[in-house]
Amino acid sequence: MLTGPSLLAKILGCSVSCECDVVVHVDDLEYVDEKECVWWIEDPMFIHRYVWIGGYPHVVLEDLKRLRGENAEVLGCILEKIRNAPRVP
């Protein structure tokens, strides 16, 4: 389990419905009672790829496109903000 993209979304100015979300492997969804703030991914190796944000391990940007969940517009906002961010020459 890793921390989900909500903190990154807030940092980038995207609206979020969950203050604390998580990413789990799709096979572990059956063990999660409330799925409102839960993202899932099919790649079991995602747990070995993470970035530290605010002292917690978060899902990496490369895996954002692979996430599934109820609030897909958050992912779209993050990816759009990153895609349109100014680049250093």
Side-chain angles (χ1 to χ4, degrees):
M1 178 180 77
L2 293 177
T3 306
S6 66
L7 182 58
L8 179 58
K10 286 175 67 172
I11 291 169
L12 293 173
C14 301
S15 71
V16 294
S17 60
C18 295
E19 291 295 318
C20 180
D21 58 348
V22 295
V23 179
V24 299
H25 186 260
V26 68
D27 290 345
D28 294 328
L29 272 176
E30 64 184 272
Y31 303 109
V32 179
D33 291 332
E34 179 59 49
K35 295 177 179 59
E36 181 181 343
C37 295
V38 176
W39 301 91
W40 60 91
I41 189 168
E42 292 182 7
D43 181 1
M45 297 305 292
F46 84 98
I47 196 72
H48 300 290
R49 299 182 299 266
Y50 54 87
V51 61
W52 291 94
I53 301 175
Y56 297 98
H58 285 69
V59 64
V60 294
L61 295 175
E62 293 80 8
D63 284 339
L64 286 181
K65 293 179 183 177
R66 299 178 186 150
L67 295 183
R68 301 294 175 254
E70 295 180 7
N71 201 0
E73 56 271 2
V74 170
L75 299 177
C77 180
I78 293 170
L79 294 171
E80 181 180 330
K81 297 268 186 174
I82 291 171
R83 191 174 19 251
N84 294 328
R87 304 284 184 233
V88 177

